[in-house]
Amino acid sequence: MARYELLNNVSHKDLRVATGFGPQFGDDVGMVPAFPSEFAELQREYPIFLRKDPGTGEWQSVVLLGFEQRENLFLQEGRWNAAYLPGAAAKGPFLIGFQEQRIDGELRKEAVMHVDLDHPRVNFAAGEPVFLPQGGNSPYLEHIAGVLRGIRDGSEFGSGMFAALDAIGLIQPVNLDVQLDDRHHVGVNGLHGIDREKLAALDGHALFELNRSGYLEGAYLILASLHNMRRLMAEKQRRLRAQDAAMPHGGN
């Protein structure tokens, strides 16, 4: 269970965050949320898909990291083998919440940062310091603040974007059933993508509206990201070969 507290430089002055990667930090997941604000970076390395949030029924974007629920093919010996780390993974134990504050005599909801003190990355001994000795924000915390702003902005933008794409029929189910070799095949259910043919057939008005809203670029970035499926499959095949080679001779 998460134990979130409003982050402050008094109660949490000695807080540190481990920044390595591995199952011990909860990084062994097959997909993580993605946000349109980072699509341009994500599409260089990860396949981006859409799926319906099981809780709300709303569309959300995700990047695929592996073909099983607890499989992250980007994890290698304590490293995340990619040039860009998805914001959902980079944010670590932090999230943005909202707190009512009186500003100029008016109650407003202001964004504030919270930290999960039960997160496996959180400790008081090793890792990146959250605050400087004199109490200011560390460079690490400033970086995390930027990541969280991108997530907040991308989440709000994505809600409108995915609703607009769905309204004109551009979201379609993806049949992800892949034969890796003569003995192994993998499948992931519930994923959706952009219908390339319907997108190409849109009339000028529909294209204009998508472009004016800023949604057209995101649709094309999702499509462009799918070439990364080859990389994911190649890494899965490499690990299967290594697994077979490590088995005793004659094993099954």
Side-chain angles (χ1 to χ4, degrees):
M1 283 291 292
R3 181 163 59 99
Y4 283 104
E5 287 188 4
L6 182 63
L7 186 67
N8 68 84
N9 62 3
V10 178
S11 303
H12 310 124
K13 65 183 179 66
D14 298 320
L15 196 71
R16 289 178 173 266
V17 177
T19 54
F21 298 99
Q24 70 271 31
F25 298 123
D27 296 321
D28 53 339
V29 290
M31 64 181 72
V32 294
F35 305 94
S37 50
E38 57 179 349
F39 277 5
E41 296 286 352
L42 291 171
Q43 62 88 26
R44 295 187 175 99
E45 306 198 60
Y46 307 90
I48 304 170
F49 293 97
L50 302 173
R51 71 170 185 172
K52 284 205 167 179
D53 185 294
T56 65
E58 295 183 355
W59 290 108
Q60 64 174 192
S61 46
V62 297
V63 289
L64 194 68
L65 306 176
F67 297 101
E68 299 172 30
Q69 191 172 2
R70 309 298 301 182
E71 178 181 68
N72 183 345
L73 294 171
F74 291 87
L75 285 184
Q76 290 186 356
E77 300 174 351
R79 296 180 298 107
W80 189 294
N81 188 30
Y84 178 80
L85 186 63
K91 73 180 184 62
F94 300 97
L95 61 73
I96 283 183
F98 291 90
Q99 186 180 60
E100 282 195 341
Q101 297 180 357
R102 190 169 293 279
I103 301 173
D104 297 330
E106 181 183 346
L107 272 179
R108 299 181 190 173
K109 281 192 172 182
E110 290 293 306
V112 290
M113 197 179 301
H114 290 73
V115 60
D116 175 12
L117 294 180
D118 286 342
H119 194 282
R121 293 188 182 277
V122 169
N123 67 90
F124 293 89
E128 291 288 338
V130 175
F131 294 106
L132 299 173
Q134 63 270 32
N137 292 353
S138 69
Y140 169 72
L141 187 58
E142 291 294 339
H143 167 68
I144 293 299
V147 170
L148 291 175
R149 282 192 295 271
I151 289 175
R152 180 193 62 193
D153 296 344
S155 181
E156 293 173 356
F157 183 82
S159 296
M161 173 181 168
F162 305 143
L165 296 177
D166 193 21
I168 55 177
L170 289 183
I171 298 179
Q172 65 172 0
V174 173
N175 179 25
L176 200 60
D177 191 13
V178 181
Q179 190 72 35
L180 295 168
D181 56 34
D182 57 356
R183 290 193 300 133
H184 301 96
H185 86 278
V186 292
V188 182
N189 297 321
L191 296 179
H192 293 70
I194 301 298
D195 189 320
R196 186 184 297 271
E197 292 183 1
K198 282 188 178 179
L199 179 59
L202 288 179
D203 62 26
H205 176 72
L207 284 171
F208 173 78
E209 289 299 323
L210 283 181
N211 189 53
R212 185 176 67 169
S213 303
Y215 302 152
L216 187 61
E217 181 186 20
Y220 278 113
L221 288 173
I222 292 173
L223 285 170
S225 77
L226 297 184
H227 75 276
N228 293 308
M229 283 299 299
R230 295 194 194 98
R231 175 185 180 182
L232 216 56
M233 290 168 58
E235 178 60 20
K236 178 69 171 178
Q237 290 167 331
R238 186 191 70 77
R239 295 192 185 196
L240 287 172
R241 288 194 299 271
Q243 179 181 305
D244 289 345
M247 292 178 65
H249 183 66
N252 294 310

